[in-house]
Amino acid sequence: MFGFGRLGSYSYFAHVERELTRRFSDAGHELVVHVIEDLPTASIRRRANRLADIVSRTSGEGHIHLVGHSTGGLDARLVASPATQHSDPDALEWLPRLRSLTTMNTPHFGTPLASFFATAQGQHVLAAISVLTAAGLSVGAQPLAMASILLGFIRNADRALPMKITLLNRSVENVVGLVDDARSPELRTFLRSIEEDQGSMLQLSPEAMDLVVAGFGNRPGVRYMSTVSMAPPPKPRAWLGQLTHPWRAISLSVFFAIHRITSDIDPHYPCAATRDGAPFSDEKTEMVLAKAFGERPGFDANDGIVPLRSQLWGDVIWAGLGDHLDVLGHYFDEREDVDPTKKHRDWLTSGSAFNDNAFTSLLDALAAGMLGAS
């Protein structure tokens, strides 16, 4: 959701790719990574077909592991599902070599934020957040004015909405120009893809995913794993700590606004497995969650984009505090004397305090799980 593969020389998954490759090498194995240049908000079926085609062309002869962040986890699950069909049977010939499927912060049971993004107002918010993500991560830009307009836009759907839409669209265009100048016009193609096909926003609603969960089956012989995270609940003191950083104060406010939307759970479609109306998973998973967070998280716990309970699937190999971008290595890095290609950047202040130690722990667990499945 609002992620990308590569913009110019910047790779969205560079931190995960580099760290996984190093861990496999240290264990005496070669890992060949292929990042899928996906359709950002297209339907899960379209994206899954694209995934199958690309893997069939790049998979070589070794074992195969799929790692999907956010909606990418659903693409992977659909491809691996025994019931999956493809117009070209050859595109699925590699499935017997699939050893593991790991989902990171994936909305297996949907997310209320997708329902919001599917509205006319939400589509403008989605475009703005996508541009902020691209600008913040690829060139380290912090468009304060645009973030301020976005915050007012999310908070108040009033009679001034047409004017706010105009202001927001102008801000988006200004930031697109900034990224274009620094990198390439690929961001315009990325945004055009969002405008042309938002099928997944409809499919990721809690109501739609209630049906999808019933239709996706696990493939025998494949280890299913998940990494899950949540941001700490919004607290006034979080704002006080950012008063000397105007950009972080605004981005924290934007985060809390979308966090609030994501926590607005419908009791009929709670974005989670349930039993007798309460959150439910196996006892092993509940112990992992209780150890990570000090208690068993409720329905409203989320990473700002996806409810935590919606992220649970298979063996939970890592759980901790972090927002939706943190877990890919997109967190604040205060170091100045670091190679720009290895520097961690963020635009979304969430108060999670995610850091190098948390990222190392997450990647250790991910690599160990994949190696164990081989």
Side-chain angles (χ1 to χ4, degrees), residues 3 44 95 104 117-119 123 127 137 140-141 180 200 219 231 245 250 255 280 284 299 321 336 369:
I44 298 169
L95 279 173
M104 303 177 68
F117 281 154
T119 66
Q123 289 173 15
L137 301 187
D180 274 356
S200 63
R219 177 168 291 276
H245 303 276
I250 288 293
F255 177 81
F280 173 78
K284 179 182 176 182
F299 288 128
L321 291 178
E336 298 294 337

Side-chain angles (χ1 to χ4, degrees), residues 26-48:
D26 290 346
H29 298 276
E30 179 187 12
L31 177 67
V32 180
V33 179
H34 296 277
V35 175
I36 306 299
E37 294 287 345
D38 217 334
L39 305 167
T41 55
S43 75
I44 298 169
R45 185 172 177 81
R46 278 193 68 194
R47 292 160 52 103

Side-chain angles (χ1 to χ4, degrees), residues 19-75:
E19 295 299 324
L20 275 182
T21 302
R22 182 173 63 80
R23 284 164 172 76
F24 267 68
S25 178
D26 290 346
H29 298 276
E30 179 187 12
L31 177 67
V32 180
V33 179
H34 296 277
V35 175
I36 306 299
E37 294 287 345
D38 217 334
L39 305 167
T41 55
S43 75
I44 298 169
R45 185 172 177 81
R46 278 193 68 194
R47 292 160 52 103
N49 283 341
R50 183 184 178 96
L51 170 62
D53 291 336
I54 293 175
V55 176
S56 70
R57 297 197 302 269
T58 61
S59 59
E61 300 298 328
H63 291 166
I64 295 171
H65 303 270
L66 297 180
V67 180
H69 175 251
S70 196
T71 317
L74 296 175
D75 304 339

